[in-house]
Amino acid sequence: MILQCIFYNVRSILSHERRCRLANFVCITKPNVFCLTETWLTPSVLDNELFLNGYCVYRAERPDTSSHGGVFIAVASTLASFLVDLGLSSPRVNLDHVACCCTSGNTKILFVCIYNSPARSEYRLTSSELSDLMSAVAIEAENYNELVICGDFNMPDVNWSAYSSDVNYSSTFLSDVDNINVEQQIDF
């Protein structure tokens, strides 16, 4: 079975109108899995307020009321899925990533959705924290047939077609990604 997966940086689904637009988009496209970054959701917003009937929702957001960040993976309830804990101990690293397992036939797929704040943000992961996150993904991925990582890493200095950057932070990230043997599937 081929899964239809969608990734989108929504820049907030806090308002009722934006949640309705998301629900309509999902109803029309009917993805098996969709991942969102910058949901801006808070723990006070319940899953049933997202109007996503027929989906299991896995999300992580900042515990405070800051109006940014947040990640989200929704898996069609026709597929078996469960939340995956990557075993990271840093509270900062746990803010803006979520992982889940989705099973399609005999194939176990690890989906990881990550939002890394812009360089000027207090929520920006340090190079070491980002490396720890990617290492944890690599270790967990050994238990799966496939790995899908999506997200907004806020690295405008990366030349994705050349897979290079002159900025040390981004170069380290590219090296970490290369070490877990994944490749960019979407070109900008």
Side-chain angles (χ1 to χ4, degrees):
M1 172 184 192
I2 296 175
L3 296 181
Q4 180 186 9
C5 303
I6 294 175
F7 165 73
Y8 190 51
N9 183 328
V10 292
R11 292 197 184 145
S12 180
I13 54 172
L14 271 177
S15 74
H16 180 80
E17 176 191 352
R18 283 182 171 248
R19 283 184 248 163
C20 287
R21 286 173 42 198
L22 172 65
N24 286 338
F25 175 76
V26 169
C27 186
I28 292 166
T29 59
K30 296 180 178 34
N32 301 104
V33 179
F34 65 98
C35 304
L36 307 175
T37 55
E38 284 198 83
T39 62
W40 298 8
L41 294 175
T42 63
S44 65
V45 178
L46 304 176
D47 288 349
N48 64 357
E49 295 177 82
L50 301 173
F51 313 117
L52 297 171
N53 298 329
Y55 286 87
C56 298
V57 175
Y58 307 100
R59 49 189 259 210
E61 55 264 335
R62 296 173 185 166
D64 59 18
T65 57
S66 74
S67 62
H68 297 286
V71 291
F72 176 112
I73 301 173
V75 179
S77 52
T78 55
L79 299 169
S81 67
F82 59 87
L83 183 66
V84 173
D85 181 356
L86 296 177
L88 294 160
S89 58
S90 169
R92 280 180 35 85
V93 176
N94 287 320
L95 289 177
D96 287 324
H97 84 271
V98 66
C100 73
C101 171
C102 174
T103 305
S104 177
N106 293 328
T107 304
K108 284 177 41 180
I109 306 166
L110 177 62
F111 283 90
V112 183
C113 186
I114 301 168
Y115 176 68
N116 189 28
S117 296
R120 65 191 176 282
S121 171
E122 68 181 287
Y123 291 102
R124 174 79 161 188
L125 296 176
T126 66
S127 187
S128 176
E129 290 169 332
L130 191 54
S131 289
D132 289 348
L133 176 56
M134 297 313 292
S135 292
V137 168
I139 290 166
E140 185 64 33
E142 293 175 7
N143 301 313
Y144 299 84
N145 306 100
E146 302 290 338
L147 168 64
V148 176
I149 302 172
C150 58
D152 181 353
F153 294 93
N154 276 301
M155 296 182 189
D157 52 277
V158 172
N159 178 335
W160 290 105
S161 52
Y163 208 69
S164 64
S165 173
D166 294 331
V167 176
N168 189 42
Y169 181 89
S170 299
S171 294
T172 300
F173 172 74
L174 292 174
S175 178
D176 290 341
V177 169
D178 197 41
N179 288 338
I180 62 174
N181 202 27
V182 295
E183 59 187 55
Q184 175 81 6
Q185 294 295 312
I186 301 170
D187 293 321
F188 299 95

